[in-house]
């Protein structure tokens, strides 16, 4: 167990390595705060991890990643990763969950993003809430520059049985919430979605509040299955941007 007692770690330099790495079986009790100067933040690469609160902030807007949850072995699933709260600021890509199973994430709070919460190949996992606001400077609005981006990339239904409570996205460069990728996403539920000013990028390829599009580059076409919402509210979508959006 690591008792952080609200301590803050500060790192200078622009190296692309993650400044803090969390391995299997780690319990972080209290608030773990990280300040960096234009680089990656924190990586969780092991299963059976419990974290109370983790925050990663870059002093300036950076092309680095904020908090990444992914094994160092390609395709290996992390199991039982439980994080009560993730807070990030000034990263081009903020919170990434790749190949994760049977996990619980509490609140995800994102400030100044190009891609907010990006997760792929996630199964049997719950996220209580996602807040993403403020567009990363100069974002043109290309594919994937979304508040929440969901994909299956390993195969059909490798993202399956996921639930998110509340999603709030403001000033996304492309879409607010996007279900995409080449393979089928299945059994995905969001209680409430609220988006505002989507397609805010300079030359956005789309501007929808919520977009669901199957894998149109594969044969046969991959359809997403059983995507459900309790409530969806989209305000000020950029309807003049993108093709067929």
């Amino acid at each position: 167990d690591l008792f952080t007692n609200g301590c803050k770690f500060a790192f200078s330099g622009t190296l692309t390595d993650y400044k803090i790495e969390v391995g299997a079986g780690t319990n972080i009790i209290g608030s773990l705060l990280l300040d960096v100067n234009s680089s990656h933040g924190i990586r969780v690469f092991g299963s059976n991890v419990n974290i109370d609160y983790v925050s990663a902030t870059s002093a300036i807007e950076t092309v680095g990643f904020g908090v990444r949850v992914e094994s160092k072995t390609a395709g290996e699933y992390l199991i039982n990763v439980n994080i009560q709260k993730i807070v990030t600021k000034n990263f081009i890509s903020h919170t990434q969950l790749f190949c994760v199973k049977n996990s619980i994430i509490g609140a995800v709070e994102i400030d100044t993003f190009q891609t907010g919460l990006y997760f792929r190949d996630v199964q049997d996992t719950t996220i209580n809430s996602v807040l993403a606001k403020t567009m990363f400077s100069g974002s043109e609005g290309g594919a994937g520059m979304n508040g929440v981006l969901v994909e299956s990339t390993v195969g059909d239904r490798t993202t399956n049985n996921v639930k998110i409570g509340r999603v709030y996205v403001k000033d996304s460069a492309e879409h607010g919430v996007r279900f995409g990728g080449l393979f089928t996403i299945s059994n995905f539920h969001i209680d409430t979605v609220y988006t505002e000013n989507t397609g805010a990028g300079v030359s956005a390829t789309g501007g929808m509040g919520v977009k669901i599009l199957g894998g149109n580059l594969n044969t046969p076409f991959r359809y997403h299955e059983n995507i459900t919402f309790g409530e969806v509210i989209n305000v000020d979508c950029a309807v003049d941007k993108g093709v067929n959006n």
Side-chain angles (χ1 to χ4, degrees):
D1 294 347
L2 174 63
F3 294 86
T4 59
N5 198 29
C7 63
K8 180 179 286 188
F9 297 88
F11 293 90
S12 60
T14 58
L15 295 176
T16 57
D17 294 338
Y18 289 89
K19 296 300 181 276
I20 294 177
E21 293 191 322
V22 179
T26 301
N27 296 314
I28 296 178
I29 301 169
S31 300
L32 176 61
L33 311 176
L34 172 66
D35 284 351
V36 299
N37 181 19
S38 188
S39 67
H40 295 326
I42 298 167
R43 181 168 186 170
V44 177
F45 64 89
S47 295
N48 302 311
V49 168
N50 294 283
I51 301 175
D52 285 347
Y53 181 104
V54 60
S55 172
T57 300
S58 175
I60 58 175
E61 291 186 5
T62 175
V63 295
F65 305 147
V67 175
R68 185 171 186 168
V69 181
E70 182 189 28
S71 172
K72 290 185 177 181
T73 301
E76 179 182 76
Y77 274 83
L78 300 186
I79 300 173
N80 191 31
V81 176
N82 302 308
I83 305 175
Q84 292 186 26
K85 190 168 185 178
I86 300 172
V87 177
T88 52
K89 184 173 183 179
N90 281 340
F91 295 95
I92 199 167
S93 183
H94 279 251
T95 300
Q96 303 171 333
L97 304 179
F98 298 160
C99 290
V100 175
K101 288 184 179 180
N102 302 108
S103 297
I104 299 174
I105 308 296
V108 178
E109 296 185 1
I110 292 163
D111 191 347
T112 312
F113 69 97
Q114 191 169 92
T115 301
L117 171 63
Y118 177 24
F119 58 102
R120 62 191 192 209
D121 311 308
V122 175
Q123 302 174 18
D124 305 315
T125 291
T126 298
I127 301 172
N128 292 338
S129 65
V130 181
L131 164 65
K133 64 178 184 178
T134 312
M135 187 178 70
F136 196 90
S137 296
S139 297
E140 70 274 15
M145 297 182 184
N146 313 129
V148 177
L149 175 59
V150 184
E151 296 181 329
S152 287
T153 66
V154 176
D156 287 332
R157 302 171 191 85
T158 51
T159 290
N160 177 60
N161 193 29
V162 175
K163 179 180 178 180
I164 302 180
R166 302 179 306 277
V167 173
Y168 176 91
V169 177
K170 186 175 187 298
D171 300 332
S172 58
E174 195 195 30
H175 307 301
V177 178
R178 181 187 175 194
F179 294 82
L182 298 181
F183 297 99
T184 298
I185 299 164
S186 62
N187 301 313
F188 200 111
H189 177 78
I190 304 178
D191 287 340
T192 303
V193 176
Y194 181 94
T195 72
E196 185 175 351
N197 192 33
T198 54
V202 177
S203 55
T205 56
M208 303 192 73
V210 176
K211 181 175 182 177
I212 305 174
L213 179 64
N216 60 336
L217 299 181
N218 283 32
T219 303
F221 190 94
R222 261 61 172 186
Y223 292 90
H224 299 317
E225 304 168 343
N226 194 28
I227 311 299
T228 61
F229 302 88
E231 180 180 47
V232 177
I233 300 172
N234 302 316
V235 179
D236 292 334
C237 299
V239 295
D240 59 332
K241 295 180 180 178
V243 178
N244 298 324
N245 285 305

